[in-house]
Amino acid sequence: MKTVISAFCCTENRGSENELGWRCLCSHVDQGEDIYLLTNTFSDPDIVKKINAKGFKQVELHIVDFPRIVYVALTSIPGMGYQLVAYAWEFLLFFYMFRRFGRKHFDLAVRSTYGSYRWPSFLWCFSKEFQMGPISGGGRFPSRFKSFFSPRARLREIGRLVFQRLTFLDPFVLLTLRQASVIHVGNQATQDILPRFAQEKCQLQPDFLAVNPADFRIEEARRTVTLEPNCLKLFYTGKLLEWKGLILILRALAKLPLDVNYSFTVMGAGPARGFYQEYVEQHNLNVKFVDPKRVPRSDLSFYYLSHDLFVFPTLHCEAGFAPVEAKLHGMRLLTLDFSGLDFALQSEDIRIDTQGKEPEAVVTAIAQEIENLYDRLKCRIISA
C-alpha cells in the first residue's frame, strides 16, 4: 500500500503540532506501509537528519521548501505570518506533486497538521482516498478574560475569531473538506465549528494526545530528583502565547501572602514572553524562564518530577500534550473548567470553576488554591 503523508509540521520535541505529524508518520510506518512523507524545514531545519537517524527504510522523504526569504517575508507579518506560510505551502506542495507524481498515484493520502481545517489541501488529486487529521482548534474563548491581555493580543484574538469564520468562505478549504472521506478530530469543539456536511465525516479521536512513557526518562529522573520540602514549585511548559492564560497564574502569585514560599518555572518561547517577563519584574515574582530548545523532550522528566504543580490555564478550550505528560509523571494539575482536560483530571487535581465569575475572581480562586496546596505541603512536612 502506497501512502502519502503531508505534514507542514513534523518533528519530535517541538510541541503539539509537530508531534502530531511525527506520530502520524510513525503509526503508518508501524503498519508496514510504503510512506512518502512531504514536509519542510520551516519548523525544524534538522528534519532530514532526524528521519535518517530513525532508520525508516520504507519512508521516502520529500522536502518541499520556499526560498528562505519567502519564509522571512511572510512570518514578518504580525499575527498572520504563520497562517500565511502554512496556507501558501499547500499550493507549493500541489505544484511539486503535480510535477513528480501522476493523478491517483497513491492508495491513501493523509494530511496531518494540528489546525489544518484552516488551510486547503490538494492531496486528494493524487490519491484514491484522502483523510484529514487528527485536527484540533476552534475552541471557544471567554471574552471577559481579554481584559488581562495586552492591546496587541486583544487584536490578535479578534483576528483569530474573524479568521475562523472566513475560513469556511474559502472555496479551496470547502473543496478539501468535501473531498475527505474521513476527518479525524481531537475534540467536540473542532467538530462543532466545521460545516454541517463536514461534521458528518468526523470521527472523534479523544486519545490523540496520548503519550508514550518510552519517550521519557522517568525511572532515571525518579532516582535522581527530589522535591524541595519547604517550597511549592510550579511548572509550565509550552508556547508563550497570551491565550495560554499564564497571566492568570502570574496575577494569582502576586496575590499570595508573603509567607507562601513558592517558585515558578516557565519553559517556553513565543511572542508573549516579554509581556510575562515585564509583569514578573513589576511584581517581583519568583519566576524563572527556561529556553525549551536546550531541553530535549525526554529530559522533561527531570522537570516534571522536581515540581509539585503543573499549571495549564488555557483560555481556548484546547488541551495539549504537556498536561498529559505531566499526569504521566504523577504531577498534580491546575487548570480551568473549560480547558478540555476533563479526560485527564483525577481527584487530586485542581479544576477552577469560572462559571459566572469575573476574571479577577478567577485569579483570586487560583491564588487561594495555590495557598491551600502550600498549607497542605507544610502540614505534610510537620507530620513527617
Side-chain angles (χ1 to χ4, degrees):
M1 182 172 178
K2 292 172 66 176
T3 300
V4 59
I5 298 173
S6 161
F8 179 73
C9 298
C10 180
T11 186
E12 294 181 289
N13 306 331
R14 287 291 183 93
S16 298
E17 292 195 9
N18 290 281
E19 192 70 26
L20 280 177
W22 184 261
R23 289 184 180 204
C24 178
L25 169 65
C26 293
S27 67
H28 285 277
V29 167
D30 291 342
Q31 295 173 30
E33 302 169 13
D34 293 326
I35 308 297
Y36 293 73
L37 174 65
L38 297 120
T39 187
N40 56 78
T41 60
F42 175 71
S43 57
D44 186 359
D46 297 323
I47 182 62
V48 176
K49 293 180 182 178
K50 290 183 178 180
I51 293 289
N52 292 337
K54 288 293 183 181
F56 293 145
K57 295 181 180 179
Q58 69 269 46
V59 175
E60 184 174 308
L61 178 62
H62 293 258
I63 298 296
V64 184
D65 267 331
F66 284 114
R68 204 69 193 169
I69 191 172
V70 175
Y71 284 134
V72 173
L74 290 177
T75 54
S76 66
I77 300 174
M80 296 183 61
Y82 179 86
Q83 303 288 340
L84 289 174
V85 170
Y87 190 97
W89 186 77
E90 297 291 346
F91 287 88
L92 179 68
L93 184 61
F94 168 76
F95 289 110
Y96 177 88
M97 295 187 72
F98 185 79
R99 291 193 302 268
R100 294 294 299 265
F101 309 108
R103 281 182 59 82
K104 309 305 179 186
H105 182 83
F106 300 98
D107 299 300
L108 175 64
V110 181
R111 203 272 290 276
S112 178
T113 301
Y114 199 48
S116 58
Y117 74 87
R118 303 182 182 99
W119 312 310
S121 176
F122 304 99
L123 288 183
W124 52 270
C125 296
F126 308 97
S127 180
K128 299 172 185 176
E129 182 181 1
F130 170 56
Q131 296 183 5
M132 294 176 64
I135 61 176
S136 187
R140 63 186 178 88
F141 176 76
S143 59
R144 63 187 185 276
F145 288 102
K146 282 193 294 187
S147 61
F148 290 158
F149 282 17
S150 67
R152 179 176 293 182
R154 294 178 195 177
L155 289 174
R156 283 178 177 168
E157 191 57 35
I158 293 172
R160 183 187 77 93
L161 295 174
V162 172
F163 188 74
Q164 275 186 349
R165 299 304 173 184
L166 292 179
T167 292
F168 302 118
L169 298 178
D170 185 333
F172 294 114
V173 171
L174 293 174
L175 182 60
T176 299
L177 295 171
R178 286 197 179 277
Q179 292 294 332
S181 60
V182 178
I183 303 172
H184 298 281
V185 296
N187 54 60
Q188 191 63 46
T190 305
Q191 181 171 345
D192 291 344
I193 200 174
L194 297 178
R196 188 176 298 276
F197 74 87
Q199 292 182 22
E200 297 172 355
K201 303 179 182 183
C202 288
Q203 291 185 5
L204 192 62
Q205 192 173 334
D207 63 342
F208 81 115
L209 291 175
V211 293
N212 186 354
D215 292 340
F216 298 92
R217 301 167 64 186
I218 300 176
E219 293 307 318
E220 182 181 350
R222 281 184 177 146
R223 291 193 298 267
T224 58
V225 167
T226 56
L227 289 169
E228 293 185 28
N230 59 348
C231 180
L232 179 64
K233 300 184 69 176
L234 286 68
F235 181 49
Y236 169 85
T237 181
K239 200 164 186 179
L240 298 185
L241 301 165
E242 290 189 46
W243 61 260
K244 295 282 188 176
L246 276 190
I247 191 62
L248 275 70
I249 304 299
L250 298 180
R251 293 175 75 101
L253 296 179
K255 286 177 173 285
L256 292 177
L258 294 177
D259 63 344
V260 175
N261 185 19
Y262 74 89
S263 68
F264 184 21
T265 302
V266 177
M267 180 185 294
R273 179 161 178 161
F275 175 68
Y276 292 144
Q277 286 178 321
E278 182 180 351
Y279 189 90
V280 166
E281 292 169 3
Q282 287 177 352
H283 294 81
N284 195 28
L285 303 179
N286 187 14
V287 178
K288 177 183 178 182
F289 290 88
V290 177
D291 184 356
K293 292 183 180 179
R294 303 186 176 204
V295 183
R297 183 166 178 250
S298 60
D299 286 358
L300 284 176
S301 292
F302 295 92
Y303 284 86
Y304 287 131
L305 292 173
S306 62
H307 291 77
D308 302 285
L309 180 66
F310 188 86
V311 296
F312 191 76
T314 179
L315 298 172
H316 271 189
C317 190
E318 296 174 26
F321 279 108
V324 181
E325 293 171 0
K327 292 305 298 179
L328 174 69
H329 289 78
M331 285 194 75
R332 181 181 278 107
L333 182 65
L334 185 151
T335 190
L336 305 181
D337 54 0
F338 55 83
S339 66
L341 279 170
D342 286 350
F343 69 94
L345 296 181
Q346 298 174 342
S347 59
E348 72 272 13
D349 295 317
I350 301 170
R351 183 177 183 270
I352 302 296
D353 180 17
T354 65
Q355 298 302 313
K357 292 181 180 178
E358 291 299 314
E360 201 59 47
V362 173
V363 169
T364 300
I366 293 173
Q368 187 61 59
E369 290 289 352
I370 293 175
E371 184 179 354
N372 292 344
L373 184 59
Y374 178 73
D375 289 340
R376 292 199 295 272
L377 175 68
K378 285 197 302 183
C379 291
R380 188 170 67 238
I381 295 171
I382 293 172
S383 62

